[in-house]
Amino acid sequence: MSDESKFHPRPSSSSSEIPTEIVSEAEMALIEAALAAAVRSSAPAALSSSSSPIRRSFPSGRVLSGCSSSQAARDIEDLSLPAPKRAKAAESLFKRFRKRRGLMVTDITAAEWCEKQMEFTLLQGRPKRTHAMKAGSTRHEELEEEIIKRVQVSVQSAEDSWAVKLMNFIAGANQILFDGLTREIPVVGLVEGVWMVGVIDEIRMSVTESDEHPLLVDTKTRSRPSLPSEAQKRNARFQLMCYKYMWDNIVTNEFPSTHFFEYFGLDPQCTLSGDVRKCLAESGLKSKTFGELVKYFTVTCHLLPRTNEQLLLRYEYQADHSLLGEDKFAYDPNWVKGQMEWHLKFWMGEREANYVSSGEEWKCRFCSFSSKCIMGNQPEKLADEGQEKSSP
């Protein structure tokens, strides 16, 4: 067994009457969407005036959010990648692309799919958005809009931009506590010594009063009425486990605010812009400075419970949003921690990028960089893999 596959979980034993396909070109487009998100980066230290996403979900049920008019103010996992710069000797991908920005959860999960593809994507640019990618994004926006109202707010600084993210987290936390459901909630935390950011699809409270631990849910859309391959399921499980790892960490441990300020170059004494302060006041948060808001954020974290040990993946058919199936699985802390540590070594330059693991060479047939990769230049083997892994 190769090193890169040693942390892979065993295939799920659950069965379904819905046919299971290994992969199709349309479905691979959705995987590339994750890669596209993984190569986007966050705002620079100094921001010009722009309009930034905010959500508000206090007892009134309203949620503030918005769309950015500049790259500086987009959502955590929806920020564009700057042009690659020339690498210094032995400079890691983390230092080149994520220094002072932090890793995104999709950075780690895309590496789990194929580290070499992740490396090519960072160095040579992400693939163009396809119809399948856009359809998946649209569906998530629709789910969000069922419980969230988005409005515009002007941001003037990096502190304002981060204030928006923290307000959105606080708003989502209030939705969980008051309504038992929230969607698209941003998270930030220190994971294995590395700052990571992400956006959780959905968190819902249990229908049983005896269970006080909210359930993490992720909805995946499919262009065909069939369930994904085991490799895709494994990747999706890994992503959801990463979010649980982050959530449980920030609600049980003291948030390292000093480290946070220093790493991201933020000034806790910075006075927030008028628009941001107005939104805070309307939400019942009388914060004038960024540091004061961070204190509200840390208090909110301590009011929240750990999440359920069970996690839920939902698979929807894009054509009519019908439910194809659900994958409810148990959280495996040892496995997810091992996976994170393994892929962080790749990001930190402690080892070279690995190719796809043994038995999953079929992925190369759908990779935009296969002609430049030694694994992709094995047409006979890939053809055999394609025949063996064709849809039933």
Side-chain angles (χ1 to χ4, degrees):
M1 181 179 293
S2 63
D3 287 339
E4 63 268 33
S5 62
K6 65 181 179 180
F7 294 117
H8 289 170
R10 291 173 294 181
S12 173
S13 59
S14 62
S15 60
S16 174
E17 295 181 359
I18 297 175
T20 299
E21 66 174 347
I22 293 301
V23 78
S24 69
E25 292 188 16
E27 298 304 332
M28 283 303 299
L30 295 177
I31 296 170
E32 291 199 348
L35 281 170
V39 298
R40 298 166 189 163
S41 64
S42 58
L47 305 181
S48 58
S49 177
S50 61
S51 176
S52 183
I54 300 186
R55 48 183 284 147
R56 181 174 58 200
S57 58
F58 290 87
S60 64
R62 289 193 301 140
V63 181
L64 286 175
S65 192
C67 300
S68 170
S69 59
S70 73
Q71 293 178 358
R74 296 181 186 173
D75 289 338
I76 288 178
E77 294 198 63
D78 193 28
L79 296 163
S80 59
L81 178 72
K85 59 183 179 180
R86 186 180 299 277
K88 298 178 182 178
E91 190 176 45
S92 69
L93 292 175
F94 180 82
K95 287 184 177 179
R96 292 185 65 185
F97 297 100
R98 296 295 183 264
K99 187 176 181 180
R100 296 292 180 184
R101 294 171 180 146
L103 282 176
M104 288 168 282
V105 170
T106 46
D107 289 330
I108 298 295
T109 56
E112 192 278 337
W113 181 260
C114 177
E115 289 180 347
K116 199 65 183 178
Q117 187 181 34
M118 181 77 254
E119 182 182 66
F120 274 125
T121 305
L122 285 167
L123 298 176
Q124 301 188 25
R126 59 190 171 92
K128 294 180 179 180
R129 284 174 59 82
T130 65
H131 175 73
M133 291 181 190
K134 294 175 182 177
S137 297
T138 298
R139 178 53 180 158
H140 278 87
E141 290 173 2
E142 291 172 351
L143 289 170
E144 182 183 21
E145 288 171 0
E146 290 179 358
I147 62 171
I148 291 172
K149 177 185 177 182
R150 287 184 169 269
V151 298
Q152 302 284 348
V153 61
S154 176
V155 298
Q156 304 289 333
S157 65
E159 288 78 8
D160 279 350
S161 185
W162 270 104
V164 165
K165 296 175 178 67
L166 299 185
M167 279 197 289
N168 284 342
F169 176 88
I170 295 170
N174 276 272
Q175 275 195 306
I176 296 171
L177 297 174
F178 285 102
D179 303 327
L181 174 68
T182 192
R183 289 179 179 146
E184 301 297 320
I185 181 170
V187 287
V188 56
L190 200 58
V191 177
E192 301 301 316
V194 177
W195 281 100
M196 289 185 64
V197 295
V199 179
I200 300 174
D201 262 16
E202 181 178 318
I203 306 179
R204 64 174 75 153
M205 293 302 296
S206 173
V207 294
T208 62
E209 294 184 0
S210 59
D211 189 353
E212 298 178 352
H213 301 286
L215 177 70
L216 295 189
V217 182
D218 198 352
T219 298
K220 304 294 185 184
T221 62
R222 305 278 295 166
S223 64
R224 293 185 180 183
S226 56
L227 295 175
S229 68
E230 184 58 33
Q232 289 169 285
K233 287 182 180 179
R234 183 187 68 232
N235 193 262
R237 292 180 200 128
F238 179 39
Q239 181 178 13
L240 208 45
M241 283 195 230
C242 285
Y243 285 131
K244 175 174 170 56
Y245 187 101
M246 292 180 67
W247 178 275
D248 290 353
N249 181 52
I250 63 175
V251 302
T252 57
N253 299 316
E254 188 69 29
F255 184 75
S257 55
T258 300
H259 191 328
F260 172 70
F261 297 138
E262 292 176 352
Y263 182 84
F264 290 103
L266 302 169
D267 179 8
Q269 302 304 319
C270 176
T271 300
L272 299 171
S273 70
D275 268 16
V276 173
R277 293 202 310 275
K278 179 181 178 182
C279 288
L280 284 168
E282 290 174 351
S283 301
L285 302 174
K286 302 253 171 116
S287 297
K288 180 179 179 180
T289 67
F290 181 62
E292 290 171 348
L293 178 60
V294 171
K295 289 180 181 178
Y296 275 114
F297 168 74
T298 57
V299 169
T300 301
C301 289
H302 289 303
L303 294 175
L304 298 167
R306 291 172 61 92
T307 51
N308 201 296
E309 293 300 304
Q310 295 291 312
L311 304 168
L312 179 63
L313 284 166
R314 301 177 66 259
Y315 293 97
E316 284 188 359
Y317 183 32
Q318 284 184 356
D320 58 10
H321 302 161
S322 60
L323 182 65
L324 297 174
E326 293 186 338
D327 179 14
K328 195 168 187 178
F329 58 97
Y331 178 62
D332 187 339
N334 293 328
W335 178 78
V336 72
K337 187 174 185 295
Q339 281 284 67
M340 286 180 176
E341 290 175 345
W342 177 248
H343 295 298
L344 282 174
K345 288 181 179 179
F346 152 69
W347 271 101
M348 298 303 173
E350 296 177 20
R351 61 175 177 80
E352 297 292 325
N354 275 325
Y355 298 90
V356 292
S357 57
S358 177
E360 296 185 3
E361 294 88 351
W362 54 268
K363 294 177 181 178
C364 303
R365 293 192 299 120
F366 306 95
C367 179
S368 303
F369 307 104
S370 58
S371 62
K372 304 173 184 179
C373 177
I374 60 172
M375 287 297 293
N377 287 310
Q378 302 180 52
E380 292 182 1
K381 185 172 183 179
L382 295 181
D384 293 339
E385 287 288 339
Q387 292 175 1
E388 293 174 5
K389 307 236 178 234
S390 59
S391 303

